[in-house]
Amino acid sequence: MKALVTGATSGIGKCIAESLHRRGWELVLTGRNEKVLKELQKKFGEGTEIIKAELSERNEVFKVYEFCKDKNIDMLVNNAGYGIFGKFDETDLNDELDMIDVNITALHILTKLFLRDFKKQNSGFILNVASVAGFMTGPLLSSYYASKNYVLRLSLAIAEELRRERSNVTITVLCPGPVNTNFNNRAGVNFSAKPISPEYAAEYALKKLFQGKCLAVPSLTAKACAFGQRFVPHRLLSAITYNVQYAKKTADGKSRAVEK
Ligand SMILES: NC(=O)c1ccc[n+]([C@@H]2O[C@H](COP(=O)([O-])OP(=O)(O)OC[C@H]3O[C@@H](n4cnc5c(N)ncnc54)[C@H](OP(=O)(O)O)[C@@H]3O)[C@@H](O)[C@H]2O)c1
């Protein structure tokens, strides 16, 4: 069995790759950090292939697909993603468009192309990494939350189409709360709640995937947010999320992400 993992160089993606390797899976790993990709290839040994790709570039996304097309991939893990912190009118437009290209467009392209291949063979797993943010509105991290809403809704819609067709292909969407990875550094914020480990997030996601579940929400806090938000009026929910995000600003009272 062989899996393609995006964002495999760090955090949740790296842990998913490690867990799949322990289970005997062969791997195709992608990310931008070639040094880490080569280290992982050496560590996992035979059966591991790497492809460096900048997923904000559409042609690079297609390059990853072309690289994998004839390799009999059984699992696609769309994990690469990041967030940009700040008020919507203050965050950099191009940075944000790149983020949308990674979080949404790359995931959309790979999901469609691999889903078509998986349906032809009537087998295959897709694991899309969204976030508990996918259930909510996220002032101060607005486009990130919106991007994860897209990932969650797209994945659940595909899951229903597959269920109606009684397909053997499955799609699982992982929706964690805070996870202890490089994510916050990149977004320029601190944690305001206790994070879970990326190892736990990865194991939980794969457990749900192999059980054929479409939704994987690790940790009680994330579950409470995901399901509790249904009963909270929109304005109150936005006010709560604003306060949670505001508390993530760095100690000097400014977000590193919006500093120039
Ligand atoms: N950490 C959290 O609190 C949390 C919570 C919920 C959901 N998530 C989601 O979990 C996923 C993984 O994030 P993480 O927490 O593990 O963060 P991370 O440690 O920063 O890992 C992000 C991964 O995405 C890759 N990536 C980022 N930008 C890329 C680009 N332009 N092109 C190609 N690859 C790119 C990175 O690889 P390179 O640096 O090598 O490019 C890295 O492997 C993301 O989708 C994130 O939204 C995280």
Side-chain angles (χ1 to χ4, degrees):
M1 302 290 265
K2 194 177 278 190
L4 164 67
V5 183
T6 74
T9 55
S10 128
I12 300 170
K14 191 174 173 189
C15 291
I16 289 173
E18 280 165 349
S19 179
L20 287 171
H21 174 68
R22 282 196 299 274
R23 292 163 196 249
W25 282 64
E26 295 188 337
L27 297 164
V28 180
L29 307 176
T30 183
R32 291 167 307 170
N33 190 329
E34 201 168 18
K35 185 170 169 273
V36 176
L37 286 173
K38 283 183 174 159
E39 284 166 9
L40 289 171
Q41 187 177 35
K42 202 171 160 199
K43 181 176 162 190
F44 296 151
E46 212 179 310
T48 309
E49 293 182 81
I50 55 172
I51 175 167
K52 184 184 168 194
E54 167 55 73
L55 294 182
S56 64
E57 304 280 342
R58 204 170 286 189
N59 61 323
E60 300 243 324
V61 181
F62 286 109
K63 188 183 82 183
V64 171
Y65 175 71
E66 287 300 321
F67 182 79
C68 293
K69 211 169 76 178
D70 300 318
K71 296 189 189 293
N72 298 323
I73 298 288
D74 304 286
M75 185 191 297
L76 163 68
V77 180
N78 273 312
N79 161 77
Y82 61 99
I84 295 174
F85 183 90
K87 285 166 74 175
F88 184 71
D89 61 315
E90 292 176 4
T91 45
D92 184 88
L93 178 59
N94 286 323
D95 287 352
E96 226 160 31
L97 293 176
D98 282 349
M99 186 202 72
I100 289 168
D101 284 337
V102 175
N103 292 10
I104 295 180
T105 312
L107 176 141
H108 182 111
I109 293 169
L110 292 175
T111 299
K112 188 180 282 285
L113 297 179
F114 278 98
L115 181 62
R116 284 175 176 164
D117 293 345
F118 290 169
K119 282 183 73 170
K120 272 185 213 143
Q121 66 199 32
N122 197 23
S123 69
F125 304 94
I126 298 174
L127 174 59
N128 284 342
V129 180
S131 164
V132 76
F135 292 96
M136 288 181 274
T137 306
L140 299 180
L141 213 65
S142 52
S143 3
Y144 175 73
Y145 271 61
S147 74
K148 294 302 181 178
N149 272 264
Y150 183 90
V151 175
L152 174 60
R153 294 298 157 196
L154 178 76
S155 307
L156 294 179
I158 296 168
E160 180 60 13
E161 291 177 3
L162 292 170
R163 191 183 68 81
R164 299 261 173 163
E165 292 163 8
R166 300 187 192 284
S167 174
N168 286 330
V169 181
T170 64
I171 185 162
T172 303
V173 57
L174 173 66
C175 299
V179 187
N180 197 3
T181 67
N182 200 36
F183 178 88
N184 273 0
N185 273 341
R186 182 148 188 208
V189 293
N190 294 313
F191 281 115
S192 61
K194 195 170 177 288
I196 60 171
S197 72
E199 289 82 5
Y200 179 75
E203 285 306 326
Y204 189 88
L206 291 174
K207 185 178 92 181
K208 292 293 172 186
L209 175 143
F210 288 123
Q211 287 172 350
K213 305 280 187 207
C214 64
L215 197 56
V217 186
S219 89
L220 273 179
T221 321
K223 281 188 176 70
C225 292
F227 301 108
Q229 54 83 26
R230 294 176 191 169
F231 309 104
V232 182
H234 276 295
R235 271 192 63 184
L236 178 58
L237 191 63
S238 294
I240 293 169
T241 317
Y242 182 96
N243 288 330
V244 170
Q245 294 307 333
Y246 189 81
K248 286 185 177 176
K249 291 203 318 182
T250 50
D252 60 7
K254 290 179 180 172
S255 156
R256 290 192 295 262
V258 292
E259 274 180 345
K260 294 278 181 292

